[in-house]
Amino acid sequence: MHGRKNAAKVLWFVGLFLVVTGVAIFTWLFQSLGGGGSSGPILVELNPGESIYRRGYSYYRDITDLTIVTALHPQMSYNFNMTKVGGTWTFNKSGAGHDTFSVKPPIRGVYEWTWLVHAGNDASGKLKGNVMETVNTWGSGESFVFIGLGFAISGLAFLLSSFLLRGVKRVP
Amino acid sequence: MFLSVFRWEFLSGRRFYLVFLIYFLVLFSSGTFTSESWTVEVKYPDYVSKEFLTPGSMIDVWWNASSLWWFLFPLVTAYAVFMISYEFDKGILRTYLLSNVGKRTLFSAKLLSILLGLLIPLVASLLIVYALADLMLFSSTPLEVYVNLPRRLLMYTSMLYPMIGIATLCSVAFRKPLYAFAVPLAGVYVLNMARLTGISAYIPPQCYPEFQGSIGLMPIGWFLNELSMVLPTVVTSSIAIVAAYLIFIRRDMT
Amino acid sequence: MARIENVISAEEVCKVFGRNVVLNNISLKVQKGSVFLIMGPNGSGKSTLLKIITGLIKRTRGKIKVFGMDPWKQRQTIFTQVGAMFEDHAPPDWASGRAYLEYKATLKNAEEPKKEALAAAKLFEVDTFWAQQVSTFSSGMKRKLALADAFINDPELVILDDPTVALDKEARLTLQKIVEDRARQNKTSIIASHIITEFENHATHLAVLNVGQIIVAGKVEDIMGNMGIHQVTIKSEQPEAVANILLKKGCPIKVHDNLVTIERPEDLDRIIDMLEKLGVKAEIGETRMNLWEIYTKALTYR
């Protein structure tokens, strides 16, 4: 009898914790999670045969539209690579001179990107160019629905179990 | 003795549900993650630079610090009032003291209960929020998402500590729970309306800025500098807690 | 001669709240094994005195020792031998009676808190309802819980402030029996009460407080001897002669047949001598006051 009461108590508090967590996560769905903007053009100046290498991390939300415009000298080539940290998704694009391309990271999280710009050996004199990036990223909240509901429903199940355990009468 | 008293105080009664309420409100107000980009390595023809930042430092929680302060402060005050002032008024404190328990033990247990009652929801919220920020990264390298956690906790604790000091002092000083609750709120709100810097206006400056970049990328030097601005309120709050202790020890338990 | 051990010794204890002098020069000694009754009207300072004894309130002036220790400074230590219950005992209403008593047993450093709590609870049948939350208790049940709390660990000194209010008859009888048993075991009990009839037969010592001062204090038999004679009845063949003599002395009397009754005689021995000298043969019978009458008489003193 005592053990049953204790079990009911534990179930009650675990259930309450799960329900509260689930409901809170579910509410994130309704919060405005927009963001993004344009970054100013990155100026590139290279002598023939030189390269610029940049590596970084970016955090993107659930839906991301990344547009990259290169305005490079025709003898400047570039390579852009993006990889999901902790995942398998990658994107790779190579080109030269003026170019435009879009990237759509599939999921919310941290991405590692690398830029390599190389000035051709045959070029005469300093080569100039720039790269411009525009990013729009929103939180759609879809994942919050499932995770939130998952917590909340399992929590309700625990609460119900707690009620049932407490309600069991001792059989004389 | 201390552990028994602390266990009783922390798990006591309906005020334990305040802990759940705090947890819900903190979790509810998060869920916004920063969108940021940060270059960690560059190799130019004449220049090389590398920063030892990890992917996890990009996962930062964009909390609006001022809204957190405004809903946490009344809750902290209510918690402290139920812990101390209410029990004093009803004679429950006196009933406990008709035993071998020392006033110091009782006060310490109550103070620790208030502290943990706030810190546990905070830590639990952050643990969940950071994990959900990038489930994929969390499932591959779980610890990576928590690289920001110690600094966040420190900034948060520095915001909670002044609240705890004021709330504890008022709960001990005022026997009537109504006054113990109303006086600190009125005082802080009046200070804020008068735009007096101090407890009321204090929010750790870059705790959760709305417009700045992620604090996770803040170099350690800047971080310590911002934290040093916390010092006056930490000192004030500590003095308030000591004053509360002295009043508690010397007060007649009528 | 056995040395009388004083469990409590108070010397000129004063307590002032703001401008209110609640206790004024209280001096008393409580002997080990005594049943000490403290009586007084509302606001006389009984509860304040008991709170000073239990270390809850600091005295403004004077000295007080409980088991040789200052109760304000060493409250935790004295409570290894003390149990107390106040009129407005307030356990937390969210806890069950059982949880509360077990917690108090832990706070009182009981070796086996659950066992001690059960033993105390059984005294007043609290174990029959202690599984419920305190918020569901009636006032009588709360009173029983408070009494059980006071008797945890069977302390050397028990202090009870108005213990019988709201108690049913069985519980009152149980309390009387416990107090009696404790006295036989040389354990001390202090009871502050308005309703003294329950402990009248058990009280060994008495103190009457009024307006923060002790009016009368000491052993019950001594007090009875000094002020306790209520009525003297003189049976004589010459009732008129007796009445005349007494009226001349200013004694209030009643005459009925051959009985002359003197109400509350001031100096009985002198009256008897006087009658003997005048050759009046008389049978003298005394009716002693009960504690309540002593109390009401004492209150007329200021």
Side-chain angles (χ1 to χ4, degrees), chain A residues 107-145:
Chain A
I107 198 173
R108 175 162 44 95
V110 183
Y111 291 82
E112 187 180 29
W113 49 262
T114 57
W115 266 106
L116 182 65
V117 179
H118 178 74
N121 295 330
D122 304 332
S124 54
K126 212 165 198 163
L127 302 179
K128 286 183 189 177
N130 62 59
V131 176
M132 195 149 86
E133 195 180 275
T134 309
V135 60
N136 283 305
T137 178
W138 308 265
S140 72
E142 255 178 43
S143 50
F144 300 147
V145 175

Side-chain angles (χ1 to χ4, degrees), chain C residues 155-179:
Chain C
E156 281 297 319
L157 167 65
V158 146
I159 297 168
L160 307 172
D161 186 8
D162 252 329
T164 55
V165 169
L167 275 188
D168 55 36
K169 191 175 175 185
E170 288 78 21
R172 278 192 231 149
L173 289 171
T174 306
L175 182 59
Q176 286 170 31
K177 189 168 180 315
I178 290 170
V179 167

Side-chain angles (χ1 to χ4, degrees), chain B residues 1 4-5 8 12-14 90-92 94-103 249-254, chain C residues 15 51 56-58 72 75-76 79-80 86 88-90 92 94-95 99-100 103-104 106-109 133:
Chain B
M1 171 80 79
S4 308
V5 177
W8 179 267
S12 58
R14 285 158 204 97
K90 292 286 172 208
I92 299 171
R94 191 186 66 212
T95 307
Y96 290 150
L97 288 171
L98 292 174
S99 69
N100 297 102
V101 71
K103 282 184 175 177
I249 296 291
R250 290 178 186 181
R251 190 170 206 164
D252 281 344
M253 290 286 165
T254 49
Chain C
K15 180 63 187 175
K51 284 172 187 170
L56 293 176
I57 295 179
K58 189 178 181 183
W72 176 253
R75 181 190 47 79
Q76 295 122 273
F79 265 91
T80 49
F86 283 93
D88 51 354
H89 180 261
W94 52 266
Y100 170 72
Y103 179 57
K104 283 303 294 281
T106 309
L107 292 185
K108 290 182 183 185
N109 285 329
Q133 266 194 351

Side-chain angles (χ1 to χ4, degrees), chain B residues 88-164:
Chain B
F88 190 30
D89 188 45
K90 292 286 172 208
I92 299 171
L93 268 186
R94 191 186 66 212
T95 307
Y96 290 150
L97 288 171
L98 292 174
S99 69
N100 297 102
V101 71
K103 282 184 175 177
R104 198 185 329 185
T105 306
L106 196 55
F107 182 84
S108 308
K110 286 186 179 291
L111 187 63
L112 189 61
S113 300
I114 296 169
L115 278 166
L116 288 182
L118 296 166
L119 283 177
I120 288 175
L122 172 63
V123 170
S125 310
L126 286 177
L127 286 174
I128 289 168
V129 158
Y130 276 113
L132 290 180
D134 190 340
L135 275 172
M136 206 178 275
L137 181 61
F138 179 69
S139 56
S140 61
T141 43
L143 292 180
E144 187 52 52
V145 301
Y146 294 124
V147 292
N148 263 331
L149 197 61
R151 261 182 290 188
R152 280 282 173 232
L153 279 178
L154 202 56
M155 289 301 245
Y156 237 128
T157 309
S158 72
M159 190 166 75
L160 290 175
Y161 192 62
M163 294 185 206
I164 293 169

